[in-house]
Coordinates of all heavy atoms in Angstrom, one line a residue:
E293 N -28.4 -138.7 156.6 CA -27.6 -139.9 156.8 C -26.6 -140.1 155.7 O -26.9 -139.9 154.5 CB -28.6 -141.1 156.9 CG -27.9 -142.4 157.3 CD -28.8 -143.6 157.4 OE1 -30.1 -143.3 157.4 OE2 -28.4 -144.7 157.6
G294 N -25.4 -140.4 156.1 CA -24.4 -140.7 155.1 C -23.5 -139.5 154.7 O -22.6 -139.6 153.9
C295 N -23.9 -138.3 155.3 CA -23.1 -137.1 155.0 C -22.3 -136.7 156.2 O -22.5 -137.1 157.3 CB -24.1 -135.9 154.7 SG -25.0 -136.2 153.1
H296 N -21.3 -135.8 155.9 CA -20.4 -135.3 156.9 C -20.8 -133.9 157.3 O -21.4 -133.2 156.5 CB -19.0 -135.3 156.3 CG -17.9 -135.1 157.3 ND1 -17.5 -133.8 157.7 CD2 -17.1 -135.9 158.0 CE1 -16.5 -133.9 158.6 NE2 -16.2 -135.2 158.8
Q297 N -20.6 -133.6 158.6 CA -21.0 -132.3 159.1 C -20.3 -131.1 158.3 O -20.9 -130.1 158.1 CB -20.6 -132.1 160.6 CG -20.8 -130.8 161.2 CD -22.3 -130.4 161.3 OE1 -22.8 -129.4 160.7 NE2 -23.0 -131.3 162.0
Y298 N -19.2 -131.4 157.7 CA -18.4 -130.4 157.0 C -18.4 -130.7 155.5 O -17.5 -130.2 154.8 CB -17.0 -130.3 157.5 CG -17.0 -129.9 159.0 CD1 -16.7 -130.8 159.9 CD2 -17.3 -128.6 159.4 CE1 -16.6 -130.5 161.3 CE2 -17.3 -128.2 160.7 CZ -16.9 -129.2 161.7 OH -16.9 -128.8 163.0
S299 N -19.4 -131.5 155.0 CA -19.4 -131.8 153.5 C -19.4 -130.6 152.7 O -18.7 -130.5 151.7 CB -20.6 -132.7 153.2 OG -20.5 -133.9 153.8
L300 N -20.3 -129.6 153.0 CA -20.4 -128.4 152.2 C -19.1 -127.5 152.3 O -18.7 -127.0 151.3 CB -21.6 -127.6 152.6 CG -22.1 -126.5 151.6 CD1 -22.5 -127.1 150.3 CD2 -23.2 -125.7 152.3
T301 N -18.6 -127.4 153.5 CA -17.3 -126.6 153.6 C -16.2 -127.2 152.9 O -15.3 -126.5 152.4 CB -17.0 -126.3 155.1 OG1 -16.9 -127.6 155.8 CG2 -18.1 -125.6 155.8
I302 N -16.1 -128.6 153.0 CA -15.0 -129.3 152.2 C -15.2 -129.0 150.7 O -14.2 -128.8 150.0 CB -15.1 -130.8 152.5 CG1 -14.7 -131.0 154.0 CG2 -14.2 -131.5 151.6 CD1 -14.9 -132.5 154.4
E303 N -16.4 -129.0 150.2 CA -16.6 -128.7 148.8 C -16.2 -127.3 148.5 O -15.6 -127.0 147.5 CB -18.1 -128.9 148.5 CG -18.5 -128.5 147.0 CD -17.7 -129.3 146.0 OE1 -17.4 -130.5 146.2 OE2 -17.4 -128.8 144.9
Q304 N -16.5 -126.3 149.4 CA -16.1 -125.0 149.2 C -14.5 -124.9 149.1 O -14.0 -124.1 148.3 CB -16.6 -124.1 150.3 CG -18.1 -123.8 150.3 CD -18.5 -122.9 151.5 OE1 -19.0 -123.4 152.5 NE2 -18.3 -121.6 151.3
L305 N -13.8 -125.6 150.0 CA -12.4 -125.6 149.9 C -11.9 -126.1 148.6 O -10.9 -125.7 148.1 CB -11.8 -126.4 151.1 CG -12.1 -125.7 152.5 CD1 -11.6 -126.7 153.6 CD2 -11.3 -124.4 152.7
K306 N -12.5 -127.2 148.1 CA -12.1 -127.8 146.8 C -12.3 -126.7 145.7 O -11.4 -126.6 144.8 CB -13.0 -129.0 146.5 CG -12.6 -130.2 147.4 CD -13.5 -131.4 147.0 CE -13.2 -132.6 147.9 NZ -14.1 -133.8 147.5
Q307 N -13.4 -126.0 145.8 CA -13.7 -125.0 144.7 C -12.7 -123.8 144.9 O -12.3 -123.3 143.8 CB -15.1 -124.6 144.8 CG -16.2 -125.6 144.5 CD -17.6 -125.2 144.7 OE1 -17.9 -124.0 144.9 NE2 -18.5 -126.1 144.6
K308 N -12.4 -123.5 146.1 CA -11.4 -122.4 146.3 C -10.1 -122.8 145.7 O -9.3 -121.9 145.2 CB -11.4 -122.0 147.7 CG -10.5 -120.8 148.0 CD -10.5 -120.4 149.5 CE -9.7 -119.2 149.8 NZ -9.7 -118.8 151.2
A309 N -9.7 -124.0 145.9 CA -8.4 -124.5 145.4 C -8.4 -124.6 143.9 O -7.3 -124.6 143.3 CB -8.0 -125.8 146.1
D310 N -9.6 -124.9 143.3 CA -9.7 -125.1 141.9 C -10.1 -123.8 141.2 O -11.2 -123.4 141.3 CB -10.7 -126.2 141.6 CG -10.7 -126.6 140.2 OD1 -10.1 -125.9 139.3 OD2 -11.3 -127.7 139.9
K311 N -9.1 -123.2 140.6 CA -9.4 -121.9 139.9 C -10.5 -122.0 138.9 O -11.2 -121.1 138.6 CB -8.1 -121.3 139.3 CG -7.0 -121.0 140.3 CD -5.8 -120.4 139.6 CE -4.8 -120.0 140.6 NZ -3.6 -119.4 139.9
R312 N -10.6 -123.2 138.2 CA -11.6 -123.3 137.2 C -13.0 -123.2 137.7 O -13.8 -122.5 137.0 CB -11.4 -124.7 136.5 CG -12.1 -124.8 135.1 CD -12.4 -126.2 134.8 NE -13.3 -126.8 135.7 CZ -14.6 -126.7 135.6 NH1 -15.1 -126.0 134.7 NH2 -15.4 -127.3 136.5
V313 N -13.3 -123.7 138.9 CA -14.7 -123.6 139.4 C -14.9 -122.4 140.2 O -16.0 -122.0 140.5 CB -15.1 -124.9 140.1 CG1 -15.1 -126.1 139.2 CG2 -14.2 -125.1 141.3
R314 N -13.8 -121.8 140.7 CA -13.9 -120.6 141.5 C -14.5 -119.5 140.7 O -15.3 -118.7 141.2 CB -12.6 -120.2 142.1 CG -12.6 -119.0 143.0 CD -11.3 -118.8 143.7 NE -10.2 -118.7 142.8 CZ -8.9 -118.6 143.2 NH1 -8.6 -118.7 144.5 NH2 -8.0 -118.6 142.3
S315 N -14.2 -119.4 139.5 CA -14.8 -118.4 138.6 C -14.9 -119.0 137.2 O -13.9 -119.3 136.5 CB -14.0 -117.1 138.5 OG -12.6 -117.4 138.2
V316 N -16.1 -119.3 136.8 CA -16.4 -119.9 135.5 C -16.4 -118.9 134.4 O -17.0 -117.8 134.6 CB -17.8 -120.7 135.5 CG1 -18.0 -121.4 134.2 CG2 -17.8 -121.7 136.7
R317 N -15.8 -119.2 133.3 CA -15.6 -118.2 132.2 C -16.7 -118.3 131.3 O -17.1 -119.3 130.8 CB -14.3 -118.4 131.5 CG -13.9 -117.3 130.6 CD -12.5 -117.4 130.0 NE -12.1 -116.3 129.3 CZ -10.9 -116.2 128.7 NH1 -10.0 -117.1 128.9 NH2 -10.5 -115.1 128.0
Y318 N -17.3 -117.1 130.9 CA -18.4 -117.0 130.0 C -18.0 -116.0 128.9 O -17.3 -115.0 129.1 CB -19.7 -116.5 130.6 CG -20.4 -117.6 131.5 CD1 -19.9 -117.7 132.9 CD2 -21.4 -118.3 131.1 CE1 -20.5 -118.6 133.7 CE2 -22.0 -119.3 131.9 CZ -21.6 -119.4 133.2 OH -22.2 -120.4 134.0
K319 N -18.6 -116.2 127.7 CA -18.4 -115.3 126.6 C -19.7 -114.6 126.3 O -20.8 -115.2 126.2 CB -17.9 -116.0 125.3 CG -17.7 -115.1 124.1 CD -17.2 -115.9 122.9 CE -16.9 -115.0 121.7 NZ -16.4 -115.7 120.6
V320 N -19.7 -113.3 126.1 CA -20.9 -112.5 125.8 C -21.3 -112.8 124.4 O -20.5 -112.6 123.4 CB -20.7 -111.0 126.0 CG1 -21.9 -110.2 125.8 CG2 -20.2 -110.8 127.5
I321 N -22.6 -113.2 124.2 CA -23.1 -113.5 122.8 C -24.1 -112.4 122.4 O -24.4 -112.4 121.2 CB -23.7 -114.9 122.8 CG1 -24.8 -115.0 123.8 CG2 -22.6 -116.0 122.9 CD1 -25.5 -116.4 123.7
E322 N -24.6 -111.6 123.3 CA -25.6 -110.6 123.0 C -25.3 -109.4 123.9 O -25.0 -109.5 125.1 CB -27.0 -111.0 123.2 CG -27.4 -112.1 122.2 CD -28.9 -112.5 122.3 OE1 -29.7 -111.6 122.8 OE2 -29.3 -113.6 122.0
D323 N -25.5 -108.2 123.4 CA -25.2 -107.0 124.1 C -26.2 -106.8 125.3 O -27.4 -107.3 125.2 CB -25.4 -105.7 123.2 CG -24.2 -105.6 122.2 OD1 -23.3 -106.4 122.4 OD2 -24.4 -104.8 121.3
Y324 N -25.8 -106.2 126.4 CA -26.6 -106.0 127.5 C -26.3 -104.6 128.0 O -25.2 -104.2 128.2 CB -26.4 -107.0 128.7 CG -27.0 -106.6 130.0 CD1 -28.3 -106.4 130.1 CD2 -26.2 -106.6 131.1 CE1 -28.9 -106.0 131.4 CE2 -26.7 -106.3 132.4 CZ -28.0 -106.0 132.5 OH -28.6 -105.7 133.7
S325 N -27.4 -103.7 128.2 CA -27.2 -102.3 128.4 C -26.8 -102.0 129.9 O -26.4 -100.9 130.2 CB -28.5 -101.6 128.1 OG -29.6 -102.0 128.9

Side-chain angles (χ1 to χ4, degrees):
E293 186 178 353
C295 292
H296 191 274
Q297 176 66 240
Y298 301 106
S299 293
L300 194 65
T301 56
I302 292 173
E303 176 59 33
Q304 287 179 262
L305 292 172
K306 290 180 180 179
Q307 294 178 9
K308 186 176 182 180
D310 189 345
K311 294 182 179 180
R312 196 200 64 82
V313 298
R314 184 169 54 186
S315 51
V316 183
R317 190 172 187 177
Y318 288 84
K319 182 179 181 180
V320 180
I321 56 176
E322 294 184 23
D323 292 347
Y324 167 55
S325 62

